[in-house]
Amino acid sequence: MNQLQALLNDSLIRTKHVENAAIINIKERKVCASTFGFNVPPENALNLIYAFYENLLQVRRGGLYFKEKYYKCVRADEHSIYLQNPDGGLIIVKTKTFILVATYRVGMYPSVCVEAVEKLADYFREKGS
């Protein structure tokens, strides 16, 4: 387990309100860390990057497909996107260098998931990442 994977586990998974999480390096356009068993296909990583830089208005209006599931947009701004579907939700937060993506299931508290992901994003922002 690398340092970023440990950070995901310690900061997000331990809350018990985040199902899976990954960190995407924006410049390299690929996943640099993810929680055990969470595979983010390269095309999904690119779609998340594209959602922030080229397609935010479309995501607000039409939602987003991630790992072959449709998610309806609940809220979106230049730093974060919150989406839901009947099975759970998807939280996406952008920092200078990374995009953090986390999922949660029905029965988990979305607000705790959002708070945990935003705190981790703040950590990266403080580090200048």
Side-chain angles (χ1 to χ4, degrees):
M1 179 183 306
N2 70 31
Q3 191 174 16
L4 288 176
Q5 286 172 314
L7 189 60
L8 287 173
N9 286 328
D10 292 344
S11 300
L12 301 180
I13 302 304
R14 281 194 184 169
T15 69
K16 305 284 190 221
H17 295 286
V18 175
E19 179 181 31
N20 291 297
I23 300 172
I24 300 166
N25 185 304
I26 296 169
K27 188 174 182 179
E28 294 178 8
R29 297 177 175 231
K30 67 179 186 175
V31 175
C32 56
S34 64
T35 55
F36 183 75
F38 188 52
N39 177 34
V40 177
E43 62 273 9
N44 282 179
L46 290 173
N47 285 343
L48 295 178
I49 294 168
Y50 182 73
F52 277 109
Y53 290 99
E54 302 290 334
N55 208 19
L56 191 57
L57 184 58
Q58 180 61 32
V59 170
R60 280 186 190 140
R61 291 181 180 159
L64 183 74
Y65 280 89
F66 180 75
K67 294 186 70 147
E68 300 180 4
K69 290 183 181 179
Y70 172 75
Y71 291 85
K72 180 181 177 186
C73 184
V74 175
R75 189 180 122 221
D77 61 39
E78 66 270 13
H79 301 290
S80 58
I81 303 172
Y82 307 136
L83 305 113
Q84 289 181 324
N85 73 16
D87 299 322
L90 186 64
I91 310 299
I92 310 160
V93 178
K94 178 178 67 86
T95 69
K96 182 177 172 184
T97 307
F98 300 110
I99 290 179
L100 288 81
V101 57
T103 64
Y104 63 89
R105 292 185 307 268
V106 169
M108 293 178 160
Y109 291 100
S111 60
V112 177
C113 181
V114 169
E115 182 180 343
V117 172
E118 287 183 345
K119 281 183 181 178
L120 185 56
D122 288 343
Y123 168 82
F124 282 114
R125 289 183 186 113
E126 288 170 11
K127 298 276 185 197
S129 299

